[in-house]
Amino acid sequence: MDLPCPKVNVVFETFSGCDFSARCLKKVREHHVSHSVELLIPGITEIPNRIESDVKLTDEQFVYVKDLPVAMFVESKFLDKFIRSGSISAVSMDTVWQCTDCMAILPTGELVLSLVKSTYERLGIVGKQTRLVINKKSCPKLKWLVRIDLKSPLFVPGKSHFDRIASSLANLDLRFDVVMTWRPSADGSGTASLSSLLDYLGLPKRASYRARVSTTIQRNVHVPIVSWSQPEGGVSPEPQNSGRQPFLEWVAAFRSGVERPLEAAHGGYLSSYTVPQPCRTVASLVHSRWLGLFPGHSLGRFLASCSHWLNSSECLAPWLVVTVHGFPDTPIVYGNKEHGSDWFGGNFYSVVMFRGECYWMQNCLGDMDVFP
């Protein structure tokens, strides 16, 4: 069987000083929903208290609802209680972006439906055909994107635009298995809570979940020696012949549990992996992984907390790495940009932080995605 290697769209950027808050964290916040966060720190034996006390990712709660009708999101009571008084992040589960219907709700209040042609024609709401080309041999589907601004002041009952959309969604009875989270507005105008959302959905309190964390400590680990550098202009395609690429490959290998022998002989195997040279041995290395549903603004605060700790006097680590994975089958990636891939649904980024407020950011998306 001929299985071509998936195409990958990778962009590498560097930041320093105030650029980290102005540009890097802005991108993080615009990556609206993620399901996995990993933290790698050499030279310590536990997650720093300062990071855990500033932003507790395990406090992030979310709801999983099966067979949820999309028409519920445009009900007048739901709009007033949850959409206009706070922000909802939601994404459909058990879907295949390229071949099936899927949906997402962004914290900005935009409902995004990615529909196959037959569903789109039955819906009767004007959208636009995706700009992406799907492999007709492996997935003979055309996709259409429908965007509905749920926070628009014109999107209210009695208006023809609202009534037409509500009627179309109700008639089609489009349903998804959905994970979502909600938080009130920053100005305190929201009076609802996640418990209120559960009550509205008719679900028991046990239907809400918290993110879970697992932490491992590795002893006497060989790690590459790496230092910060900045390409001219600050942005470049992923370098293939520099210290950055081998280091990021090592990070991915370590996170995946790949064996890391240093010996030149590899037991006769055709395929093997060694730690990039030069390297050194650290007494310990902490690897933590959180699984759940994480809005972009929470991860922005988490990365800011990591940066503050790394550049504090109490820190002895030379660097740390945060890797965040988004959902591969979401219709939207950064901001309101359409997710695009033939088959590789890559949707993750890694931020490498160095002491002295220097940073690398590597974004990996689908082969037809547009970066922010």
Side-chain angles (χ1 to χ4, degrees), residues 65-280:
V65 190
K66 294 184 70 67
D67 202 33
L68 184 68
V70 177
M72 186 205 72
F73 294 119
V74 299
E75 293 175 358
S76 179
K77 184 178 179 181
F78 188 89
L79 290 172
D80 291 336
K81 195 169 186 178
F82 299 106
I83 298 294
R84 297 193 178 102
S85 62
S87 63
I88 278 190
S89 300
V91 64
S92 55
M93 301 294 290
D94 301 321
T95 57
V96 179
W97 175 88
Q98 296 89 342
C99 299
T100 65
D101 300 322
C102 58
M103 62 138 289
I105 296 183
L106 310 183
T108 56
E110 186 175 34
L111 169 62
V112 183
L113 302 172
S114 178
L115 308 174
V116 299
K117 185 178 181 181
S118 59
T119 305
Y120 174 73
E121 290 176 342
R122 287 186 290 120
L123 178 62
I125 300 175
V126 177
K128 61 184 298 185
Q129 186 174 337
T130 174
R131 64 179 178 81
L132 308 169
V133 179
I134 306 298
N135 188 322
K136 299 300 191 300
K137 293 182 180 179
S138 56
C139 186
K141 300 284 186 180
L142 293 176
K143 296 300 294 285
W144 296 76
L145 215 62
V146 176
R147 299 174 181 265
I148 303 171
D149 185 0
L150 303 179
K151 287 190 175 183
S152 169
L154 301 178
F155 194 70
V156 292
K159 297 284 188 179
S160 59
H161 175 60
F162 174 92
D163 294 341
R164 178 168 51 82
I165 288 177
S167 175
S168 297
L169 290 174
N171 292 336
L172 181 61
D173 195 25
L174 186 62
R175 294 170 179 264
F176 295 100
D177 296 345
V178 175
V179 289
M180 59 182 171
T181 186
W182 180 88
R183 67 177 56 227
S185 301
D187 60 9
S189 61
T191 58
S193 63
L194 196 64
S195 296
S196 303
L197 179 60
L198 290 171
D199 292 340
Y200 189 92
L201 296 170
L203 298 173
K205 298 295 188 291
R206 65 176 180 274
S208 67
Y209 302 88
R210 286 184 182 272
R212 64 182 188 270
V213 61
S214 60
T215 298
T216 59
I217 302 172
Q218 301 287 339
R219 303 288 183 178
N220 300 319
V221 180
H222 300 293
V223 301
I225 297 176
V226 65
S227 61
W228 181 83
S229 63
Q230 178 172 352
E232 184 178 355
V235 181
S236 73
E238 179 61 31
Q240 298 298 319
N241 299 305
S242 75
R244 298 189 293 271
Q245 176 70 6
F247 175 75
L248 291 166
E249 287 179 352
W250 172 84
V251 169
F254 188 94
R255 291 190 294 104
S256 303
V258 174
E259 292 295 330
R260 297 169 291 277
L262 277 176
E263 294 77 15
H266 306 302
Y269 291 105
L270 292 177
S271 178
S272 58
Y273 181 79
T274 58
V275 178
Q277 300 294 323
C279 68
R280 66 188 181 97

Side-chain angles (χ1 to χ4, degrees), residues 299-331:
L299 295 183
R301 292 188 294 111
F302 178 72
L303 265 72
S305 178
C306 290
S307 175
H308 292 157
W309 172 80
L310 186 65
N311 290 286
S312 67
S313 58
E314 65 186 83
C315 172
L316 299 178
W319 50 262
L320 63 80
V321 184
V322 177
T323 300
V324 177
H325 286 263
F327 291 88
D329 291 303
T330 178

Side-chain angles (χ1 to χ4, degrees), residues 318-370:
W319 50 262
L320 63 80
V321 184
V322 177
T323 300
V324 177
H325 286 263
F327 291 88
D329 291 303
T330 178
I332 297 296
V333 280
Y334 282 95
N336 64 351
K337 297 183 183 298
E338 181 183 353
H339 190 21
S341 168
D342 191 352
W343 277 112
F344 177 72
N347 182 15
F348 68 91
Y349 62 86
S350 292
V351 177
V352 184
M353 303 184 182
F354 299 92
R355 291 182 62 82
E357 298 187 76
C358 302
Y359 312 88
W360 294 345
M361 185 177 192
Q362 177 184 257
N363 282 280
C364 183
L365 295 176
D367 51 295
M368 289 176 264
D369 277 316
V370 177

